[in-house]
Amino acid sequence: MRILFKTNYKQDLNLAKHGGHRFWYGLLILVLFAAPLILGGYYIGEATRILIYAMAGLGLMVLTGFTGQVSLGHAAFLAIGAYTNAWFLAQGFSSFVALPMAALLSMIGGLLVAIPAARMSGIYLAIATLAFAIIVEDFAGHLNSITGGNRGMMVDVPTLFGYQIWESWELYLFVLSILVVATLAVLNILRSPLGRAMIAVRDSEVSSQALGVNPMKIKVFAFTVSAAITGLAGAFLAHYMSFLTPQIFGILLSIQLLLMIVLGGLGTVHGVFFGAVLIGVLETGISIAKDTLPSSIGGLPGIEPFVFGVILISVIVFEPTGIYGRWIKIRSYMEFFPIYRRKSFKRQRTYLKTERLR
Amino acid sequence: MNEFLQLLIVGISQGCIYGLMALGFVMIYKATEMINFAQGDMMMLGSFVAWTLIMDLGIPFWLGVPATLIIMASFGALVDILIVRRVIGQPQFAVIILTLGLGIIFRAAAGMIWGQVPLTIDSPISGSSSFYGIVIGNERLVIIAVTAVLIAILWAYFRYSKWGIAMKAASQNQLAAYYSGIPVRVIISAVWAVAAAISALAGILLAPITLIEPMNGLLGIKAFAAAVIGGFGSMPGAILGGLIVGIIEPFAAAYVPAVKGSLIYVVMLIVLALRPQGLFAQIHKKKL
Amino acid sequence: MNLLEIENLSISFGGVKAVDDVSFVVEEGSVYAIIGPNGAGKSTIFNLLSRFYEPLSGQLNFAGNDLLELRAKDIARLGIARTFQNLELFEHASVLQNLLVGRHVHNSQSWWRQVLFTSSVIEAELEHRRKVEEVIDFLELAHYRNQMISGLPYGVRKKIELARALCIEPKLLLLDEPSSGLNPEETEEMGFWIEDIRRDLNMTVVLIEHDMSLVAEVSDRVLAIVDGKVVTEGDHTFVQSHPEVVSAYLGDVQ
């Protein structure tokens, strides 16, 4: 067990709280950037997909995990980002224009939803975002001149300074760099007053108001940041897919994003990455298992969503804090061995306010 | 004018289906403050179960229908007892995600059991009636009639029967109902059972006019829009919302085909933006 | 000087008048207690002051400001802080984070500075932290500083809610049943703190309270409310002996 001696309040503001943090996170980033030297093309491709999931999940986490606004329509922002990026590249602009435009248009989409949505609570918000996603998907199918409609649309490769990014490892590094920047921005928000206000709105809207927080403003801010990050992820998803059809951005993608952050652990940045890796590995795993299992099981249509559904429900019922929550428990079990008590993480009886019976 | 009437009746019959499903949503919401995103999938399962009983096992239609309703009611109660009950008291998103997950599982399971090839049930009601120059399929008229009867039964049930009143009490204040000796847990399972049975009925009614396939579960989203337009928590509102959604659809398809897929959601968003609590608001302010 | 003036305040819920023509003034630097049986409309007065409810009629005046012109989020900025009867803490955040939210009204950093976490944000954060630590010292919460709210016992939560309100550095503190759910020692402690808050921090306190010994100990004036109506007002001995107050608490003595 590590005991920290703090001599300065500034220590609590640092992202890496002690030498161990600095070492391990530094090593992680180093390994991630060096990965193309070790891994072959196929695995780099898989890794790129996981990074894109992580970016989209990061966007959703800002809104759902930290501000408590459930969105069932984040695929819409992926779609806006993907199509904007592809369209600007098709017009001959470089990624320096296309990527910011993807983020900007998603942000505008986010604002459009946020302003009415900030007045809604729980279920109404979930259903409004769901409706927004359906409308965006429908639109993408009808705007033939921009999106190619249901026939689909080819995506040009990204270009930087006139250099075309063809190789999969180049795309990987590009995505990774942007993801690192986005993660740092989110971490900064979380350690400043805005992040605390977001958590306040999530946990108790009334008392946040009584403390001078404007929940409307905070929700709109969270929506905008969330949409921008998810839009960027969409832009990269376009490159990863290299061919876009509206069906990609259906409701199942939105649910999968939600599933990812819940699996990883809601309300933590770690959770985003745990979730993205798990979903990515699971997808690969299921497709491998499908080939190796006897076709009577592996060949069944719908085995993939079935497995996802079962995992999702098990997590909600048995470990609502997700993988990250489980990891914290295991870690403290080892730190405090042999005096660890199961009770340390027992949830306190919540003081029911709705007069509902458990 | 004839075309208008024709579309209107088609819309009303379609709206009855949505209304029934929305009714299921609203009942469960009122009793448990939970949204059952798997409602549409329960409807879909209901129509598959009916198909198995009637077409596969050869049970007569008039026996197969009540058997389906009983099977699906037990299924609904089981879902509550085995799974949903465990998350009561957890934050709302947990419940939303749980029922979304259930929906995914139901859809996938239906695909594995019954396959992706659309199925049909031979209905004893066929043919069409014509009056005032419009021609309407009899099965659509049956939908409207059955829905009307069901609404009357439900109304009487909640008004006069002991169980119905207990359900109403439990949905208004669980603790108070519990202290008055109402078995709240049993009541909640019963609500799930009734909601599942109503959706199954919607599924059976829908079967003659559309094909039965796993993706029908996604119709639940439209029913959800109906419930929202009507104002969650109001049973007449659910039916009205269903009718609004049902009527919008054929008219949009006939006159503005470009927006037929999204018009109801646009309407729903407008309703939400103007009246965030729905048309038939039941405003409950949280006690501080 | 009067810090808070309430005139002819009324509100009704579904036809029931929860607050009926209530008027009173709170003098700056005093401790003012509101008593009354459950459901008398005491908390509703606080919720009206917080602007969570819209009154049917009446005037709310605080230090020369008309509260009815403001919205809920603006009240804290004027210098009014409150606690809640059923505790409204940020459950899934640490004690320190909860208290830092109390500093929200003193934040003036723009959003993009916060995203970049510039040196001016760091300066401001350190200043907030120092203020929060003063409150932590004052209420002896150092032990819990980095713990999550969701794992803490009720008595401690109660204290943290008080601490969070103090972090606003308010002029007026509204305490909704500060002693409910506390054991006798904790209640006594709460009494000392309320005295300290008035004396050392120069805050005016309005409290809703059932524990008459606490009311007697700390309050300068007491207002008794029954069924939304003012029954009487005065010092605690006078109010406690008022026949209508006695009958409201003990039932009619025939």
Side-chain angles (χ1 to χ4, degrees), chain A residues 102-104 106-107 223-233:
Chain A
L104 189 69
S106 293
M107 261 169 102
F223 251 107
T224 338
V225 171
S226 172
I229 298 176
T230 311
L232 275 178

Short mmCIF file of all heavy atoms in Angstrom, two decimals, chain A residues 102-104 106-107 223-233:
data_model
loop_
_atom_site.label_atom_id
_atom_site.label_comp_id
_atom_site.label_asym_id
_atom_site.label_seq_id
_atom_site.Cartn_x
_atom_site.Cartn_y
_atom_site.Cartn_z
N ALA A 102 -15.57 18.60 -39.38
CA ALA A 102 -16.32 17.46 -38.85
C ALA A 102 -16.69 17.72 -37.39
O ALA A 102 -17.83 17.53 -36.97
CB ALA A 102 -15.51 16.18 -38.97
N ALA A 103 -15.70 18.19 -36.62
CA ALA A 103 -15.95 18.48 -35.21
C ALA A 103 -16.96 19.62 -35.08
O ALA A 103 -17.90 19.55 -34.28
CB ALA A 103 -14.65 18.85 -34.50
N LEU A 104 -16.80 20.65 -35.91
CA LEU A 104 -17.65 21.85 -35.82
C LEU A 104 -19.10 21.51 -36.16
O LEU A 104 -20.03 21.90 -35.43
CB LEU A 104 -17.12 22.92 -36.77
CG LEU A 104 -17.77 24.30 -36.61
CD1 LEU A 104 -17.35 24.91 -35.29
CD2 LEU A 104 -17.43 25.20 -37.76
N SER A 106 -20.57 18.61 -36.06
CA SER A 106 -21.13 17.77 -34.99
C SER A 106 -21.52 18.65 -33.80
O SER A 106 -22.56 18.44 -33.18
CB SER A 106 -20.11 16.74 -34.53
OG SER A 106 -19.87 15.83 -35.53
N MET A 107 -20.66 19.62 -33.50
CA MET A 107 -20.94 20.53 -32.39
C MET A 107 -22.25 21.26 -32.62
O MET A 107 -23.07 21.40 -31.71
CB MET A 107 -19.83 21.58 -32.28
CG MET A 107 -18.79 21.28 -31.23
SD MET A 107 -17.41 22.40 -31.44
CE MET A 107 -17.77 23.55 -30.15
N PHE A 223 -23.04 18.67 -23.94
CA PHE A 223 -23.52 18.19 -25.24
C PHE A 223 -22.57 18.60 -26.35
O PHE A 223 -22.23 17.81 -27.23
CB PHE A 223 -24.91 18.77 -25.53
CG PHE A 223 -26.01 17.75 -25.44
CD1 PHE A 223 -26.88 17.75 -24.37
CD2 PHE A 223 -26.16 16.81 -26.43
CE1 PHE A 223 -27.89 16.80 -24.28
CE2 PHE A 223 -27.17 15.86 -26.35
CZ PHE A 223 -28.03 15.85 -25.27
N THR A 224 -22.14 19.86 -26.32
CA THR A 224 -21.29 20.38 -27.39
C THR A 224 -19.94 19.68 -27.40
O THR A 224 -19.47 19.23 -28.44
CB THR A 224 -21.08 21.88 -27.22
OG1 THR A 224 -22.13 22.39 -26.43
CG2 THR A 224 -21.05 22.60 -28.52
N VAL A 225 -19.30 19.59 -26.23
CA VAL A 225 -18.00 18.94 -26.15
C VAL A 225 -18.13 17.48 -26.60
O VAL A 225 -17.34 16.98 -27.40
CB VAL A 225 -17.44 19.01 -24.71
CG1 VAL A 225 -16.20 18.15 -24.58
CG2 VAL A 225 -17.15 20.44 -24.34
N SER A 226 -19.18 16.83 -26.09
CA SER A 226 -19.40 15.43 -26.41
C SER A 226 -19.57 15.23 -27.91
O SER A 226 -18.96 14.35 -28.51
CB SER A 226 -20.64 14.96 -25.66
OG SER A 226 -21.01 13.68 -26.05
N ALA A 227 -20.40 16.09 -28.52
CA ALA A 227 -20.65 15.97 -29.95
C ALA A 227 -19.38 16.20 -30.75
O ALA A 227 -19.10 15.51 -31.72
CB ALA A 227 -21.74 16.95 -30.38
N ALA A 228 -18.57 17.17 -30.33
CA ALA A 228 -17.35 17.47 -31.07
C ALA A 228 -16.40 16.27 -31.06
O ALA A 228 -15.87 15.87 -32.10
CB ALA A 228 -16.67 18.69 -30.46
N ILE A 229 -16.19 15.69 -29.88
CA ILE A 229 -15.26 14.56 -29.78
C ILE A 229 -15.81 13.36 -30.57
O ILE A 229 -15.08 12.71 -31.32
CB ILE A 229 -15.02 14.17 -28.31
CG1 ILE A 229 -14.38 15.34 -27.57
CG2 ILE A 229 -14.14 12.94 -28.21
CD1 ILE A 229 -14.19 15.11 -26.10
N THR A 230 -17.10 13.10 -30.42
CA THR A 230 -17.69 11.98 -31.15
C THR A 230 -17.65 12.23 -32.66
O THR A 230 -17.44 11.30 -33.44
CB THR A 230 -19.14 11.74 -30.68
OG1 THR A 230 -19.14 11.69 -29.26
CG2 THR A 230 -19.68 10.44 -31.21
N GLY A 231 -17.84 13.50 -33.05
CA GLY A 231 -17.75 13.84 -34.48
C GLY A 231 -16.37 13.54 -35.03
O GLY A 231 -16.23 13.01 -36.14
N LEU A 232 -15.33 13.88 -34.25
CA LEU A 232 -13.96 13.56 -34.68
C LEU A 232 -13.81 12.05 -34.85
O LEU A 232 -13.22 11.58 -35.83
CB LEU A 232 -12.96 14.05 -33.63
CG LEU A 232 -12.52 15.50 -33.74
CD1 LEU A 232 -11.57 15.84 -32.60
CD2 LEU A 232 -11.85 15.76 -35.08
N ALA A 233 -14.34 11.31 -33.87
CA ALA A 233 -14.27 9.84 -33.97
C ALA A 233 -14.95 9.38 -35.25
O ALA A 233 -14.46 8.48 -35.94
CB ALA A 233 -14.93 9.20 -32.76
#
